[in-house]
Amino acid sequence: MSPASDDPAFPRPQLALIDAFTAHLRLERHLSANTVAAYRTDLIHLATFLHRSSSSLEDADHATLRRFLAQQHALGYARASIARRVGATHTFYRWAVDEGRISHDPSLLLGRPKVANRLPTVLRAGEAADLVERPDAGAAEDPIDTAVALRDRAILELLYGSGLRVSEVTSLRREDLDLDGARVLVRGKGSKERRVPVSDDAVAAVRAWLADGRCHLATGSEGPLFVNRRRKPMSARDVRAMVAGYAGSLLPGRRIGPHTLRHSYATHLLEGGADIRAVQELLGHSSVATTQRYTHVSRARLFAAHEQAHPRA
């Protein structure tokens, strides 16, 4: 199904309504750009379906919304994607009713498909250390290659040593770092700020990048902390590709990304005896329930160790 913007007959007022909603998410609820973009995409899919069913966002009823979800299932979308679209639909209609744009909420009785609560992938401590130390600046002969290795080591140290999200790493600026105090100011989801500790290894890696690497990829000290070979700010895609590249040669056959290092950071803290509330603060979770899934990972690993090691397991 093509998006609404590709349909010349798609009514512009529908896009205007969706844009007003996403402006609310961005300006009043301070949701991340990625989240806002996902909500917009979900609503465009819904509005396109409604338009082709001779309906609209304002006129939709519960039965039409259910047909939309059935179509999404028939098209092969994953349960998680459909559940997200249900969430976007609920949020949109609550906003539209509150704003007086729609008289009633047709999504009130719309249920979400159950999504399997998969435990996050976690590296063992030795695997995480090997991955973080994979970039080898000493082996590079070209200054640019050396700079890239120094940059990659600094990013990996922050992902695992401080548990940062990929978006938090890419948004860092030089002034956010207090290397003498081993702290970094992080802007997380919903524009919430938090200060988190930086490990000694991460401090050393960032100092090396600033002293010997960044000058080869960036002009001046202003701007983002990390830049790519094109002298542009590192994007989330850049970081994911970088992590996957090192992980592919070190741990072939496993799907490992930046969030794997964040998962590993949290799990290793809890396995080391850290208080769950402290880990919640470090990760920037609004609810401790989100952090508790890492206790499930630790418990699963304990049972796995028991089964592998005990003679009567």
Side-chain angles (χ1 to χ4, degrees):
M1 181 172 63
S2 61
S5 56
D6 291 340
D7 186 346
F10 189 86
R12 299 297 102 182
Q14 294 287 276
L15 286 181
L17 182 60
I18 292 171
D19 287 342
F21 169 65
T22 54
H24 157 75
L25 297 178
R26 185 177 65 255
L27 301 175
E28 297 182 32
R29 293 187 56 181
H30 305 291
L31 299 186
S32 72
N34 289 338
T35 301
V36 172
Y39 272 63
R40 188 176 191 277
T41 298
D42 292 338
L43 286 171
I44 283 178
H45 276 271
L46 171 60
T48 302
F49 173 84
L50 293 173
H51 172 60
R52 292 174 178 174
S53 302
S54 300
S55 185
S56 67
L57 291 169
E58 295 91 339
D59 299 332
D61 57 21
H62 176 71
T64 308
L65 295 181
R66 284 190 57 114
R67 287 200 301 273
F68 168 67
L69 297 183
Q71 183 226 41
Q72 297 291 289
H73 179 75
L75 289 173
Y77 284 100
R79 280 178 171 266
S81 297
I82 297 174
R84 191 192 69 194
R85 287 185 178 162
V86 173
T89 302
H90 279 303
T91 304
F92 167 76
Y93 278 111
R94 281 198 301 269
W95 167 82
V97 171
D98 289 344
E99 291 288 309
R101 295 173 181 263
I102 296 175
S103 60
H104 69 286
D105 182 353
S107 71
L108 279 175
L109 300 179
L110 205 62
R112 298 192 190 193
K114 292 184 178 180
V115 180
N117 186 19
R118 298 175 181 171
L119 294 177
T121 300
V122 173
L123 300 176
R124 298 193 178 278
E127 293 173 334
D130 288 343
L131 177 56
V132 167
E133 296 169 4
R134 193 69 170 175
D136 186 0
E141 298 181 1
D142 182 80
I144 298 298
D145 291 339
T146 300
V148 167
L150 291 172
R151 179 203 67 194
D152 293 351
R153 176 67 183 270
I155 292 174
L156 290 167
E157 289 284 5
L158 288 170
L159 290 170
Y160 176 56
S162 297
L164 302 191
R165 299 179 178 95
V166 64
S167 60
E168 294 169 347
V169 168
T170 56
S171 65
L172 286 177
R173 304 177 75 84
R174 176 65 184 86
E175 56 267 27
D176 296 328
L177 293 164
D178 175 12
L179 296 180
D180 292 333
R183 296 287 186 274
V184 62
L185 175 64
V186 179
R187 295 171 184 83
K189 289 186 176 180
S191 300
K192 295 179 181 177
E193 294 186 349
R194 69 186 192 279
R195 291 188 182 275
V196 298
V198 179
S199 68
D200 291 343
D201 288 332
V203 168
V206 173
R207 286 192 190 278
W209 157 244
L210 290 174
D212 303 317
R214 194 176 183 278
C215 59
H216 294 288
L217 297 177
T219 55
S221 59
E222 301 297 322
L225 179 61
F226 297 112
V227 293
N228 58 28
R229 288 178 180 268
R230 301 182 303 279
R231 301 179 182 273
K232 302 291 185 181
M234 285 284 283
S235 67
R237 180 178 295 182
D238 291 332
V239 176
R240 292 190 187 100
M242 179 268 289
V243 174
Y246 290 118
S249 61
L250 182 67
L251 300 166
R254 297 172 64 178
R255 295 186 62 181
I256 296 171
H259 228 60
T260 308
L261 291 168
R262 177 173 161 87
H263 293 324
S264 303
Y265 164 83
T267 302
H268 297 163
L269 281 175
L270 291 168
E271 288 180 341
D275 179 76
I276 192 169
R277 293 287 182 179
V279 176
Q280 176 192 358
E281 292 293 325
L282 290 170
L283 292 172
H285 287 160
S286 57
S287 169
V288 73
T290 307
T291 317
Q292 284 176 333
R293 62 180 173 164
Y294 296 109
T295 65
H296 301 157
V297 175
S298 299
R299 193 175 302 119
R301 287 169 61 156
L302 287 174
F303 277 103
H306 171 264
E307 291 177 0
Q308 293 171 9
H310 197 279
R312 297 182 71 82

